[in-house]
Amino acid sequence: MNLLKRIASRFTARGRALAKVSKGRVCAKKRDPDNAIKYYTDVVDTSESPRDVIAMALFNRALVYAAIGKLRQATENLKAILGMPEAIAKIKRSASDKLVRMQRKLEREAPTTDA
């Protein structure tokens, strides 16, 4: 994308939301989960954010939550994506796969009771 288009995109709701998702990814890569979650939450909570970008933010926020051990919050985010008709198929598929992997992990870690 050329510079002029990039600058112009900052003035649209979609551009602002995508910029925040990008900032969240940078924070996540720098192992700064609190700020990553803050950026993703800002996208989710802003009413002007496009629904497909909200799905991206929810997915990325779920990944951060899972990485820091907050599996309940991660699960809630992933399930929210699955209920969004606007979410693109790739994100829905990834959310579904992540839920399955998290469930398997929880089952392996659950203490077994021998009766």
Side-chain angles (χ1 to χ4, degrees):
M1 182 183 316
N2 69 32
L3 181 61
L4 185 58
K5 285 184 181 179
R6 221 178 324 164
I7 291 169
S9 74
R10 299 287 180 164
F11 296 103
T12 66
R14 177 177 207 74
R16 287 188 299 273
L18 287 171
K20 289 177 186 175
V21 169
S22 181
K23 288 177 183 179
R25 286 187 190 130
V26 169
C27 290
K29 285 182 183 179
K30 290 182 177 179
R31 300 192 195 296
D32 182 5
D34 293 334
N35 281 319
I37 290 168
K38 178 187 146 305
Y39 281 116
Y40 298 140
T41 300
D42 194 29
V43 173
V44 172
D45 291 345
T46 302
S47 62
E48 67 178 17
S49 296
R51 300 285 292 164
D52 62 321
V53 180
I54 290 173
M56 277 191 268
L58 283 169
F59 183 74
N60 287 320
R61 189 171 70 176
L63 294 178
V64 173
Y65 278 140
I68 62 174
K70 295 186 175 185
L71 299 182
R72 184 184 59 78
Q73 291 94 327
T75 300
E76 289 171 0
N77 281 230
L78 295 170
K79 287 181 178 179
I81 294 166
L82 297 177
M84 295 176 72
E86 305 88 348
I88 61 174
K90 182 179 177 181
I91 291 179
K92 280 189 171 186
R93 193 170 39 256
S94 295
S96 178
D97 292 346
K98 182 67 175 171
L99 272 173
V100 169
R101 288 192 307 273
M102 284 174 44
Q103 186 61 41
R104 286 182 187 151
K105 181 179 178 182
L106 288 172
E107 289 171 1
R108 282 192 311 267
E109 293 175 356
T112 57
T113 55
D114 295 331

